[in-house]
Coordinates of all heavy atoms in Angstrom, one line a residue:
C12 N 187.2 43.6 359.9 CA 188.6 44.0 360.0 C 189.4 43.3 358.8 O 190.2 44.0 358.2 CB 189.2 43.6 361.3 SG 188.6 44.6 362.7
Q26 N 199.8 38.2 364.0 CA 200.5 38.1 365.3 C 199.6 38.0 366.5 O 199.9 37.2 367.4 CB 201.4 39.3 365.5 CG 202.4 39.2 366.7 CD 203.4 40.4 366.7 OE1 203.5 41.2 365.8 NE2 204.1 40.4 367.8
L47 N 203.1 39.1 372.3 CA 204.4 39.6 372.0 C 205.4 38.5 371.5 O 206.5 38.8 371.1 CB 205.0 40.3 373.2 CG 204.3 41.6 373.6 CD1 204.9 42.2 374.8 CD2 204.2 42.6 372.5
D52 N 214.5 32.2 378.2 CA 215.6 31.4 378.5 C 216.0 31.7 380.0 O 216.4 32.8 380.3 CB 216.8 31.6 377.6 CG 217.9 30.7 377.9 OD1 217.7 29.6 378.4 OD2 219.1 31.0 377.6
S65 N 207.7 44.4 365.5 CA 206.7 44.4 364.4 C 205.8 45.7 364.6 O 206.0 46.4 365.5 CB 205.8 43.2 364.6 OG 205.0 43.3 365.7
Q73 N 207.3 54.7 364.5 CA 207.8 53.4 364.0 C 209.1 52.9 364.7 O 210.0 52.3 364.2 CB 208.1 53.5 362.5 CG 206.9 53.4 361.6 CD 206.1 54.7 361.7 OE1 206.6 55.7 361.4 NE2 204.8 54.5 361.9
T98 N 208.1 27.2 396.7 CA 206.7 26.9 396.4 C 205.8 27.7 397.4 O 206.1 27.7 398.6 CB 206.4 25.4 396.4 OG1 207.2 24.8 395.5 CG2 204.9 25.1 396.1
S108 N 212.7 51.4 387.7 CA 213.3 52.6 387.2 C 214.0 52.3 385.9 O 214.9 51.5 385.8 CB 214.4 53.1 388.2 OG 213.7 53.5 389.4
T133 N 212.2 41.2 399.9 CA 212.3 41.9 398.6 C 213.5 41.3 397.8 O 214.4 40.7 398.4 CB 212.6 43.4 398.8 OG1 213.8 43.6 399.4 CG2 211.4 44.1 399.5

Side-chain angles (χ1 to χ4, degrees):
C12 290
Q26 186 172 355
L47 292 179
D52 184 25
S65 68
Q73 282 74 52
T98 302
S108 294
T133 63

